[in-house]
């Protein structure tokens, strides 16, 4: 899949549409999900143009990967969910129901999250 620069997260990165920003550094931008599915539901996206986790894992620079992973951990701690627990989730492709084709990690927390997967 080729990267489509008009996807909604690319537009947020370019400042074309607003977001409820939680954190930003050289490697990552984090903001609240527009349709939260838990008390805490934050999305973390890399600054680079990656379609999904698969693209990011295969092609991102190691410094970018390290910076992004560090940012996710930092954001979870700053949200105060590291003690109570949280879940990170990245959807890739059709079976996962990935909606936005710019790699993103969901951070869920702030409440008991139930079992991991709810098959259709
Ligand atoms: P996924 O199914 O993993 O691609 O998840 C995409 C997520 O992006 C969903 O949870 C949406 O609610 C969220 N989303 C879509 N548009 C926006 C937006 N403009 N601001 C914040 N979150 C969004």
């Amino acid at each position: 899949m080729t990267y489509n620069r008009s996807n909604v997260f690319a537009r947020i990165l370019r400042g074309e549409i607003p977001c409820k920003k939680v954190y930003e550094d050289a490697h990552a931008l984090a903001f609240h999900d527009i349709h939260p599915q838990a008390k805490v539901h934050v999305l973390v996206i890399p600054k680079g143009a990656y379609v999904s986790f698969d693209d990011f894992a295969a092609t991102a620079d190691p410094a970018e990967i390290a910076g992004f992973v560090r940012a996710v951990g930092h954001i979870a701690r700053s949200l105060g969910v590291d003690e109570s627990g949280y879940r990170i989730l990245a959807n890739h492709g059709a079976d996962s129901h990935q909606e936005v084709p710019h790699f993103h990690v969901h951070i869920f927390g702030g409440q008991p999250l139930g079992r991991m997967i709810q098959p259709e």
Side-chain angles (χ1 to χ4, degrees):
M1 199 194 295
T2 55
Y3 187 80
N4 181 344
R5 282 177 41 84
S6 64
N7 79 75
V8 65
F9 293 169
R11 297 186 65 204
I12 286 174
L13 275 174
R14 292 196 296 270
E16 293 170 6
I17 56 175
C19 70
K20 287 172 67 182
K21 191 194 292 189
V22 169
Y23 177 81
E24 182 169 16
D25 67 15
H27 296 289
L29 172 69
F31 50 90
H32 290 282
D33 196 290
I34 203 165
H35 297 302
Q37 295 184 46
K39 280 186 185 156
V40 172
H41 185 176
V42 165
L43 301 171
V44 190
I45 67 175
K47 294 280 178 82
Y50 303 100
V51 175
S52 71
F53 174 77
D54 182 66
D55 185 17
F56 186 70
T59 66
D61 184 86
E64 206 173 359
I65 294 173
F68 183 79
V69 171
R70 290 260 194 225
V72 172
H74 171 79
I75 292 157
R77 286 189 296 278
S78 74
L79 292 166
V81 293
D82 55 312
E83 297 256 326
S84 52
Y86 62 90
R87 179 172 297 151
I88 58 173
L89 181 151
N91 289 317
H92 162 75
D95 275 358
S96 75
H97 287 243
Q98 181 181 359
E99 288 174 12
V100 180
H102 179 111
F103 171 47
H104 51 282
V105 167
H106 299 252
I107 301 175
F108 299 106
Q111 62 180 81
L113 295 167
R115 305 290 291 183
M116 280 197 292
I117 287 179
Q118 295 173 343
E120 287 185 336

